[in-house]
């Protein structure tokens, strides 16, 4: 199955890159250019990385920070800050 239609990169090619040590979408892109054109395949690449021991998807990290992480992912939940930083202003 194709992961990146722009550069005709298959799921097997992405998995091979992961097996060779790639652990982020950027490292996958360096090898086969997947994710460097329209970007619609980056989420699938992130999912494949997560399935094969690479860096978890940013969405999974956000879910962990919100305390919504799937217990199978073993990501620690981090509490949200109670106050906004002083430099952040609200727009009225």
């Amino acid at each position: 199955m194709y992961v990146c239609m722009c550069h005709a990169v298959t799921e097997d090619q992405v998995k091979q890159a992961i097996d060779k040590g790639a652990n982020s979408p950027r490292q996958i892109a360096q090898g086969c250019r997947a994710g460097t054109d329209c970007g619609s395949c980056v989420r699938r690449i992130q999912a494949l990385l997560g399935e094969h021991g690479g860096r978890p998807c940013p969405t999974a990290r956000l879910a962990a920070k919100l305390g919504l992480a799937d217990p199978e992912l073993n990501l620690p939940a981090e509490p949200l800050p109670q106050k906004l930083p002083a430099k952040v202003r609200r727009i009225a």
Side-chain angles (χ1 to χ4, degrees):
M1 170 187 282
Y2 284 100
V3 172
C4 176
M5 297 300 286
C6 298
H7 297 288
V9 178
T10 65
E11 194 169 291
D12 287 337
Q13 288 173 294
V14 173
K15 288 178 184 177
Q16 288 173 1
I18 295 168
D19 290 341
K20 291 179 182 176
N23 64 5
S24 71
R26 183 170 294 191
Q27 290 177 349
I28 298 289
Q30 288 173 344
C32 62
R33 299 189 63 210
T36 61
D37 201 351
C38 77
S40 66
C41 59
V42 173
R43 281 190 163 178
R44 181 64 189 140
I45 292 169
Q46 290 171 329
L48 289 169
L49 283 162
E51 291 170 11
H52 293 86
R55 187 185 310 176
C57 173
T59 305
R61 290 194 303 269
L62 176 60
K65 285 184 178 186
L66 296 174
L68 304 172
D70 185 342
E72 292 179 18
L73 293 177
N74 295 322
L75 294 173
E78 298 174 14
L80 292 175
Q82 296 300 317
K83 289 183 164 182
L84 291 175
K87 292 183 180 179
V88 177
R89 295 185 323 174
R90 292 184 187 222
I91 299 173

